Amino acid sequence: MSAQPETSSGYWYATEGQRPPALQVLEAMRAYRAAETAMRLRTRESMGMGERDVLALRYLLEADRAGTPLSPRDLASKLGISSASTTTLLDRLTRSGHVARRPHPTDRRALVIVATDEADCEVRSTLGAVHERMMRAARALTAEEAATVTAFLHAMAEAVEAVDEPQSKARVEDRRHQGPGAA
Amino acid sequence: MSAQPETSSGYWYATEGQRPPALQVLEAMRAYRAAETAMRLRTRESMGMGERDVLALRYLLEADRAGTPLSPRDLASKLGISSASTTTLLDRLTRSGHVARRPHPTDRRALVIVATDEADCEVRSTLGAVHERMMRAARALTAEEAATVTAFLHAMAEAVEAVDEPQSKARVEDRRHQGPGAA
DNA sequence: CAGTATTGCTAGGTTGTCTAGTTATCAGAG
DNA sequence: CTCTGATAACTAGACAACCTAGCAATACTG
């Protein structure tokens, strides 16, 4: 976690005891990410399921609430896994009592996956509190602050999303020598 | 993994005129997380390795730069995996030429893992640009804005971290007993 | 009604993780 | 110095979750 200063920037705040605000921000991002990852791990363990199962359950609950239940196909595309994996995932979730397969009202070869009340309660008890706390923190911001944070997060998402890939997923040897020296 | 936030949000506050800023913030958080997840997936595929391998490589490079190289044991605890998994992980990374096992200077049963220059270049070329863009976005903030964002992120991390309240496990009877990743 | 597309499931194979046990080395007690 | 327990990394075997390929049932279309 060494946040070393950019040598090119030349500014260094060591004597003031304060580092450049930009570094503090990025470090806060990292800290949040770490905290979230840890939370996910705890959830995963507490519910005795894998990461994907939790995510699938969240999608299902969300869809249930929205009144647009999901089929295994929808779930597969949302999760980015294959149809076969979705079948086994639903087997797991069905066996553990979190979801149920219902026949599709109009398409007799399709299914509708519904989350059980137990799953709803369980997810709510583990993730609802977290969401509530996050919401509280977000509500504590003034409108201006919220706008600042939102804009920044969008900028970050854009920064992460913009991938200029001069090289495709070809072999690695091709780009072993181009160090952008951007550090 | 682009979803429906734009449509739903636009649909939503079109009549209201203003949506609660807190919701916008939380949605921006979600959007950022999705973008980052997608980026990780791209990186993972571009480098032809698993998620953990990339993370391990980042830890190793970071430690190398800090002058405090890691042993397999350190890596295992940082990654939260077992000693055996670490061995196979190092086998993979060694075989692909990303790291090398060196003898520990003082402890003859221990090892020191060093990342190769190729790995350094590779990670820099894939993640360096992203980091640079993030840094630019962070630097674009005024000191006040940065303070706001930092404080908010810390609040969020705290919200996510404090999850140790008693959960009702009443409905949980048929869960697995040996969850993956159990420490 | 025939032909194609789609849905979910099954079979077989790959990968990454785990637990348990082994070997080599270290550190401390006698 | 030697013996004993702890530690570091590795090996072996098993398991969970994913994938691709292919199948039966059903929907849609000409």
Side-chain angles (χ1 to χ4, degrees), chain A residues 33-116:
Chain A
R33 237 191 58 68
E36 204 204 55
T37 299
M39 185 268 285
R40 286 254 268 268
L41 177 65
R42 282 195 303 269
T43 300
R44 200 177 70 124
E45 284 187 354
S46 133
M47 297 182 53
M49 31 173 41
E51 189 86 29
R52 281 222 150 96
D53 304 54
V54 177
L55 190 55
L57 213 46
R58 286 185 54 181
Y59 280 138
L60 286 170
L61 288 168
E62 189 182 313
D64 266 13
R65 258 175 232 133
T68 56
L70 298 175
S71 74
R73 193 113 210 85
D74 302 328
L75 204 53
S77 65
K78 261 183 181 287
L79 292 172
I81 62 178
S82 71
S83 147
S85 304
T86 305
T87 295
T88 60
L89 183 146
L90 289 177
D91 285 346
R92 284 197 300 271
L93 259 45
T94 301
R95 189 157 11 95
S96 65
H98 287 105
V99 308
R101 290 173 162 107
R102 300 299 196 81
H104 192 281
T106 67
D107 191 336
R108 275 202 297 174
R109 73 207 152 148
L111 293 176
V112 162
I113 310 300
V114 294
T116 62

Side-chain angles (χ1 to χ4, degrees), chain A residues 1 23 25 33 35-36 40 42 44-46 95-96 98 122 133 135 150 159-160 162 172 175-176, chain B residues 1 23 25 33 35-36 40 42 46 62 118 122 133 135 150 159-163 167 174-175 180-181:
Chain A
M1 293 301 191
L23 283 183
V25 169
R33 237 191 58 68
E36 204 204 55
R40 286 254 268 268
R42 282 195 303 269
R44 200 177 70 124
E45 284 187 354
S46 133
R95 189 157 11 95
S96 65
H98 287 105
E122 200 170 337
R133 268 191 295 267
M135 184 58 97
T150 302
V160 157
V172 176
R175 51 187 143 86
R176 280 277 167 88
Chain B
M1 206 159 309
L23 281 184
V25 169
R33 213 185 43 182
E36 204 203 55
R40 286 259 267 266
R42 281 194 305 268
S46 136
E62 190 182 310
E118 286 84 3
E122 200 171 338
R133 269 192 296 266
M135 182 61 92
T150 302
V160 157
E161 221 151 45
V163 74
Q167 308 163 13
D174 196 14
R175 302 293 173 269

